[in-house]
């Protein structure tokens, strides 16, 4: 059908439908709104708990004891600002990759956002396009749709005029036009697009572990705080003093910075990746990056530049006169040529008169061939030699010789009958072998070397001939390239397939369904799998992989289902992506040890003074000072530090094995110092509390030094700077008065130092050497 005969809707008809609400009213971006971000950061149960404690201190205590309220407000503001920054970046980058629709308006084709499609619009489709609204086929030119995202069926469905199209599917082959019959909230695409671009902190191993920590803490706080409050009422003469001490212990038990630190680290990771032109569509993908140990990639567009050129045509038999016309006619007959057909079209651009196609079968990755009938010139087929040739045909060996040189080889053959969609035409007569070359990417070898150093296994899954894939892999140093595997020989059994994947790394002639099965087989062995792709044949595997990575220049369908989009479509963007994920997750685990240790020692001290019936050894301002120099300020710098350690399962167990003994040591040392000093004559409560503050700070710095190990020059500077900051607060008269500290006698100093030294000596015996972060952290 000629373009001129398709009028589509008029401007007036479009305006009438927009006015009546019959428009595909989907939001341009499905990230969280500003109101949602503010609400999520302000209205939390921990903010409610700390806010109530802050209100009590404002009423009963001096302003200095309300310092933790400033930290609470500051942390909330930081969370809001970071998420707003991430939202702006995501929204801006998402617009760059948002699907478009080509519609006929007043007889002309116009490209509009998916939200601009209205009911009864005539939409044009080409290979790789996503169907953005439901509709009815008007024109089909070999139109085949992959409806796997809708129906779960992986086989392409042939669509003819009058057939229904479901949004969320995509064009696997051919082209066509359809009329929009369901738009907006009535169409499946709305739900799919919103879910694919959702800005969310979804469930993950890390967040699940942190939620468990907070759940246990929440349960333990209630009875502990009640016991502490009751004991402080007996230990103090005034209600104000009792409330102030009880609030100090309760606030210290809340790891208020832990969730915030996780959110900030994820959000900062998203912003940093945006600078590398990487769009993160789901925040948990940042965590998933750190856990990846297998990366599945394609050859074309990843290891190579993806720009094919015809290098050689080997004529077979006596077909020399018409083969050029046949190749030119096939290239011209394909309305949506792939890379192979584009290269052939560039080499043979003008078919001769009489080579106009009367019937065509478009290429699809499942068939691996295409055909066209040219009247009196017969039917010609172009496709993979191992698909079109008989198993015992000698030409297979010659095709393999070309493939061994790293070339893509296709066979041109003349058919003895008409084209059939179920299989190749019968009685094929080979006419020519066409060899095409693709240049390897200059950065691919360095990228493969990086993943080898990082312990990430790379699996090359290509639709090309195994010899071609192996030749390219050898040039780039890809492991396993000397022994490429033909995917046609792969077993159907999932366990046997996993065994093959453990042994081999380079595979050729891989079908879209096989890519999906290979991802699942790797996952069955406990691997965390990332999958890269740019074509519609990669969608199934991208969807099932733990992390789907789509190329920005690829099909809209791949971008819709992937968690990450490489906007510049370059393979060398992956190393910083993986490195950022490891940095974020490793540093969250590192600093989690600090926050959980504080919760442990605060809870144990509260229980100890509650049972002993003594005054709590700290005022709220003391714990604010201790938390700032041993946790708050250092964790900020540690969270931004480099970290290349690959994530391991068992986050909660490792952090608990460190934090519980470290918290017990801190609590025992602090309570012991508090009791010893209390037994000295003429020692005031302020001096007792100062001694407890000194000991807990020194133990906290010890814990910080263990968490920060290995201690580089910068990290030693960090630890000693925090020690100097505490000494300044203790020795400067104005700050000492502000924090309610009182320098004790020399005997108390010696006792405090002695207890801290003893704990320091025995710390390595009780605190596990298996720190939350591995030895390769820098």
């Amino acid at each position: 059908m000629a373009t001129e005969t398709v009028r589509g809707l008029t401007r007036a008809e479009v305006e009438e439908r927009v006015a009546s609400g019959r428009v595909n009213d989907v939001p341009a971006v499905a990230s969280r709104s500003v109101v949602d971000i503010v609400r999520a950061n302000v209205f939390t149960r921990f903010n409610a708990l700390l806010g109530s404690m802050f209100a009590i201190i404002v009423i009963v205590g001096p302003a200095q004891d309300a310092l933790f309220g400033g930290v609470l407000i500051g942390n909330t503001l930081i969370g809001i600002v970071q998420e707003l920054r991430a939202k702006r970046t995501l929204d801006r980058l998402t617009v760059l990759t948002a699907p478009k629709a080509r519609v006929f308006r007043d007889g002309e084709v116009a490209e509009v956002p998916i939200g601009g499609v209205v009911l009864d619009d005539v939409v044009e489709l080409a290979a790789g396009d996503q169907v953005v609204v439901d509709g009815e086929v008007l024109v089909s030119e070999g139109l085949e749709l992959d409806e796997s995202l809708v129906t779960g069926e992986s086989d392409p469905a042939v669509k003819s005029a009058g057939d229904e199209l479901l949004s969320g599917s995509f064009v696997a082959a051919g082209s066509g036009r359809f009329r929009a019959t369901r738009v907006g909230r009535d169409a499946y695409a709305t739900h799919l697009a919103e879910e694919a671009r959702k800005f969310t902190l979804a469930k993950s191993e890390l967040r699940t572990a942190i939620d468990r920590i907070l759940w246990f803490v929440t349960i333990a706080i209630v009875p502990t705080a009640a016991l502490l409050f009751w004991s402080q009422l007996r230990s103090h003469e005034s209600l104000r003093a009792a409330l102030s001490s009880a609030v100090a212990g309760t606030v210290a038990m809340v790891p208020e910075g832990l969730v915030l630190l996780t959110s900030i680290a994820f959000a900062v990771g998203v912003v940093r990746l945006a600078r590398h032109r990487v769009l993160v569509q789901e925040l948990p993908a940042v965590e998933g990056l750190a856990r990846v140990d297998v990366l599945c990639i394609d050859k074309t567009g990843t290891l190579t530049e993806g720009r094919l050129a015809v290098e050689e045509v080997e004529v077979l038999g006596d077909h020399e006169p018409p083969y050029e016309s046949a190749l030119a006619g096939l290239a011209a007959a394909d309305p949506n040529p792939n890379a192979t057909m584009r290269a052939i079209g560039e080499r043979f651009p003008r078919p001769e008169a009489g080579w106009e196609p009367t019937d065509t079968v478009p290429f699809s990755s499942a068939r691996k061939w295409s055909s066209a009938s040219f009247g009196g010139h017969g039917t010609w087929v172009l496709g993979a030699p191992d698909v079109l040739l008989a198993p015992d045909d000698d030409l297979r060996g010659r095709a393999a010789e070309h493939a061994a040189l790293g070339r893509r080889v296709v066979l041109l053959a003349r058919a003895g009958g008409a084209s059939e969609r179920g299989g190749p035409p019968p009685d094929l007569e080979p006419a020519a072998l066409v060899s095409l070359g693709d240049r390897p990417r200059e950065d691919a070898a360095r990228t493969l070397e990086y993943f080898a150093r990082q312990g990430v296994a790379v699996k090359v899954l290509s639709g090309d001939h195994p010899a071609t894939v192996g030749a390219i892999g050898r040039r780039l140093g890809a492991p396993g390239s000397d022994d490429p595997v033909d995917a046609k020989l792969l077993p159907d059994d999932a366990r046997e397939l996993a065994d093959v994947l453990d042994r081999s790394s380079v595979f050729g002639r891989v079908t879209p369904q096989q890519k999906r099965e290979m991802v699942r087989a790797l996952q069955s062995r406990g691997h965390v799998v990332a999958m890269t792709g740019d074509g519609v044949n990669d969608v199934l595997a991208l969807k099932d992989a733990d992390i789907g990575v789509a190329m920005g220049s690829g099909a809209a369908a791949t971008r819709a289902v992937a968690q990450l989009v490489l906007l510049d479509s370059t393979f060398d963007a992956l190393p910083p992506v993986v490195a950022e994920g490891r940095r974020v997750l490793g540093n969250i685990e590192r600093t989690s040890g600090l926050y959980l240790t504080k919760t442990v020692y605060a809870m144990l001290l509260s229980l100890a003074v509650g049972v002993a019936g003594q005054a709590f050894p700290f005022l709220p301002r003391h714990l604010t000072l201790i938390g700032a120099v041993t946790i708050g300020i250092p964790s900020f710098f540690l969270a931004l530090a480099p970290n290349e350690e690959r994530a391991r399962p068992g986050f909660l167990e490792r952090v608990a094995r460190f934090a519980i003994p470290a918290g017990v040591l801190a609590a025992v040392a602090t309570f012991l110092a508090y009791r010893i000093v209390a037994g000295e004559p003429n020692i005031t409560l302020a001096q007792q509390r100062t001694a407890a503050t000194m000991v807990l700070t020194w133990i906290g710095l010890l814990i910080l030094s263990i968490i920060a190990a290995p201690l580089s020059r910068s990290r030693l500077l960090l630890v000693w700077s925090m020690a100097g900051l505490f000494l300044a607060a203790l020795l400067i008269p104005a700050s000492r008065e502000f924090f309610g500290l009182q320098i004790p006698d020399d005997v108390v100093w010696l006792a405090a130092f002695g207890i801290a030294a003893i704990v320091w000596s025995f710390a390595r015996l009780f605190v596990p050497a298996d720190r939350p972060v591995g030895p390769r952290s820098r």
Side-chain angles (χ1 to χ4, degrees):
M1 178 182 292
T3 300
E4 297 78 43
T5 63
V6 179
R7 299 294 304 171
L9 298 178
T10 65
R11 184 187 301 271
E13 289 172 332
V14 172
E15 292 175 351
E16 184 272 329
R17 283 163 173 74
V18 171
S20 61
R22 290 178 291 173
V23 65
N24 197 36
D25 56 345
V26 295
V29 181
S31 59
R32 292 200 295 177
S33 68
V34 174
V35 173
D36 289 338
I37 290 174
V38 173
R39 183 187 300 117
N41 282 278
V42 173
F43 298 105
T44 67
R45 66 171 179 266
F46 288 100
N47 277 7
L49 176 60
L50 294 180
S52 62
M53 298 295 103
F54 176 73
I56 292 173
I57 289 297
V58 168
I59 296 172
V60 304
Q64 297 95 313
D65 284 339
L67 287 177
F68 70 89
V71 175
L72 174 65
I73 296 171
N75 285 348
T76 302
L77 290 176
I78 289 173
I80 293 173
V81 170
Q82 290 287 3
E83 287 205 39
L84 288 176
R85 286 185 59 193
K87 170 184 167 60
R88 284 196 300 269
T89 302
L90 289 174
D91 290 355
R92 183 170 60 251
L93 294 178
T94 301
V95 168
L96 298 177
T97 59
K100 302 284 187 180
R102 295 183 301 279
V103 298
F104 285 88
R105 302 275 175 84
D106 290 321
E108 296 182 353
V109 178
E111 188 173 73
V112 300
I114 60 173
V117 178
V118 300
L119 191 67
D120 297 323
D121 252 330
V122 176
V123 184
E124 186 178 58
L125 292 176
D129 285 349
Q130 185 177 347
V131 180
V132 297
V133 294
D134 299 344
E136 178 185 355
V137 177
L138 299 178
V139 177
S140 173
E141 297 176 356
L143 184 63
E144 296 183 18
L145 259 64
D146 190 322
E147 298 178 330
S148 59
L149 298 182
V150 182
T151 65
E153 295 292 334
S154 59
D155 294 333
V158 178
K159 296 294 182 179
S160 304
D163 289 345
E164 181 184 27
L165 299 185
L166 292 177
S167 53
S169 55
F170 56 90
V171 180
S175 60
R177 304 183 186 101
F178 73 98
R179 174 175 288 109
T181 58
R182 288 189 295 271
V183 298
R185 305 297 172 181
D186 296 330
Y188 180 77
T190 301
H191 174 73
L192 178 67
E194 289 178 355
E195 287 299 314
R197 292 172 178 80
K198 195 172 183 181
F199 184 97
T200 178
L201 286 171
K203 288 184 178 180
S204 64
E205 180 182 342
L206 175 63
R207 293 193 59 80
T208 299
I210 291 176
D211 287 341
R212 288 180 61 190
I213 292 172
L214 299 181
W215 184 78
F216 285 126
V217 170
T218 302
I219 292 177
I221 276 179
V222 176
T224 305
L227 174 63
L228 180 62
F229 178 67
W230 177 71
S231 69
Q232 298 311 293
L233 285 177
R234 294 189 303 159
S235 303
H236 293 277
E237 297 179 356
S238 68
L239 178 63
R240 287 176 177 268
L243 284 172
S244 180
S245 296
V247 166
T250 303
V251 168
M253 286 185 278
V254 181
E256 70 276 5
L258 190 54
V259 174
L260 175 68
L261 181 71
T262 304
S263 300
I264 290 178
F266 277 162
V268 170
V270 169
V271 173
R272 286 189 175 187
L273 290 177
R275 295 171 185 164
H276 292 284
R277 300 284 296 161
V278 177
L279 171 64
V280 180
Q281 302 201 112
E282 296 180 14
L283 285 183
V286 177
E287 175 186 348
L289 294 173
R291 303 189 186 281
V292 166
D293 61 351
V294 175
L295 173 64
C296 298
I297 62 174
D298 194 4
K299 176 186 75 67
T300 305
T302 304
L303 297 181
T304 62
E305 294 181 354
R307 293 181 296 178
L308 292 176
V310 175
E311 294 186 353
E312 182 181 350
V313 178
E314 181 181 350
V315 180
L316 307 172
D318 58 355
H319 291 280
E320 187 167 354
Y323 88 87
E324 292 187 2
S325 298
L327 288 172
L330 283 165
D334 194 335
N336 302 288
N338 58 18
T340 299
M341 199 61 82
R342 281 196 299 268
I344 292 175
E346 291 173 1
R347 176 70 177 272
F348 307 102
R350 297 183 181 85
E352 297 178 3
W355 285 86
E356 292 79 15
T358 57
D359 184 36
T360 62
V361 176
F363 176 84
S364 74
S365 56
R367 273 194 303 269
K368 298 188 181 301
W369 60 269
S370 63
S371 71
S373 298
F374 301 101
H377 298 291
T379 298
W380 293 79
V381 183
L382 186 71
D386 54 343
V387 173
L388 300 179
L389 294 173
D392 58 349
D393 197 308
D394 293 339
L395 281 177
R396 281 176 171 262
R398 293 169 63 179
E401 293 175 3
H402 288 283
L405 300 175
R407 297 171 177 174
R408 177 179 296 184
V409 184
V410 292
L411 173 70
L412 174 69
R414 185 168 184 172
S419 302
E420 300 176 3
R421 291 183 183 273
D427 302 326
L428 293 179
E429 181 184 355
L433 285 174
V434 183
S435 300
L436 303 98
D438 190 1
R439 293 193 305 171
R441 287 185 179 272
E442 295 180 359
D443 51 45
R446 295 193 303 271
T447 304
L448 290 173
E449 182 182 355
Y450 167 83
F451 285 119
R453 292 197 311 269
Q454 297 302 316
V456 178
V458 177
K459 307 291 183 182
V460 183
L461 314 181
S462 175
D464 287 345
H465 192 282
T468 304
V469 186
I472 293 293
R474 285 192 294 273
R475 292 170 64 181
L476 297 173
S481 299
D482 292 332
D483 188 21
V485 177
D486 190 336
K488 287 187 174 183
L489 305 178
L490 290 176
D492 295 329
D493 181 74
R495 182 176 299 180
E496 295 178 3
L497 178 60
D499 291 337
V500 176
L501 286 165
D502 285 340
R503 297 191 301 266
S504 304
S505 298
V506 178
F507 300 84
R509 293 301 182 208
V510 183
T511 66
Q513 185 62 32
Q514 282 181 313
K515 286 187 179 182
R516 187 183 204 181
E517 293 169 354
M518 293 166 88
V519 167
R520 290 176 173 176
L522 289 167
Q523 291 170 329
S524 71
R525 293 293 170 88
H527 294 294
V528 180
V529 182
M531 175 77 194
T532 69
D534 59 355
V536 295
N537 60 315
D538 298 318
V539 170
L540 295 174
L542 285 173
K543 185 184 177 187
D544 282 0
D546 297 285
I547 299 294
V549 183
M551 300 296 177
S553 60
T558 60
R559 299 197 301 265
V561 300
Q563 287 82 27
L564 301 173
V565 180
L566 308 181
L567 295 178
D568 290 336
S569 303
T570 55
F571 186 40
D572 63 339
L574 284 177
V577 168
V578 174
E580 182 63 26
R582 293 185 174 182
R583 186 196 66 80
V584 169
L585 190 57
N587 290 336
I588 289 174
E589 184 171 334
R590 178 195 297 276
T591 51
S592 294
L594 290 174
Y595 287 100
L596 192 55
T597 297
K598 178 177 79 84
T599 296
V600 172
Y601 71 61
M603 194 166 293
L604 292 177
L605 284 172
S606 298
L607 289 172
V609 298
V611 172
Q614 288 187 299
F616 193 69
F618 304 104
L619 294 172
R621 72 193 86 164
H622 297 154
L623 290 170
T624 299
L625 175 62
I626 295 169
V629 299
T630 64
I631 301 174
I633 298 174
S635 68
F636 174 78
F637 289 98
L638 292 177
L640 299 178
N643 194 322
E644 295 181 356
E645 182 72 8
R646 196 181 76 210
R648 299 168 290 161
F651 160 79
L652 181 58
E653 291 77 7
R654 283 195 305 277
V655 173
R657 283 202 307 269
F658 177 88
I660 292 175
V664 170
L665 281 173
V668 170
T670 303
F671 189 70
L672 183 61
Y674 184 59
R675 291 296 299 268
I676 290 175
V677 172
E680 294 294 322
N682 303 319
I683 295 294
T684 65
L685 179 59
Q687 289 177 316
Q688 296 173 32
R689 285 174 164 169
T690 300
T693 301
M694 291 163 49
V695 171
L696 186 53
T697 301
W698 292 330
I699 300 301
L701 291 173
L702 163 65
I703 294 169
L704 174 62
S705 67
I706 297 174
I707 288 285
L711 292 174
S712 61
R713 180 179 301 177
S714 60
R715 291 183 180 174
L716 276 173
L717 178 62
L718 174 64
V719 175
W720 284 109
S721 297
M722 294 301 99
L725 184 61
F726 174 74
L727 288 176
L730 182 63
L731 299 177
I732 297 174
S735 63
R736 186 169 64 244
E737 181 179 356
F738 179 84
F739 284 106
L741 300 173
Q742 186 175 341
I743 297 179
D745 296 335
D746 293 341
V747 175
V748 177
W749 275 93
L750 290 174
F753 272 119
I755 292 170
I758 293 172
V759 174
W760 191 287
S761 300
F762 285 95
R764 294 292 182 177
L765 299 178
F766 294 97
V767 178
D770 183 16
R771 298 185 307 277
V773 179
R776 282 196 290 169
S777 304
R778 296 195 303 270

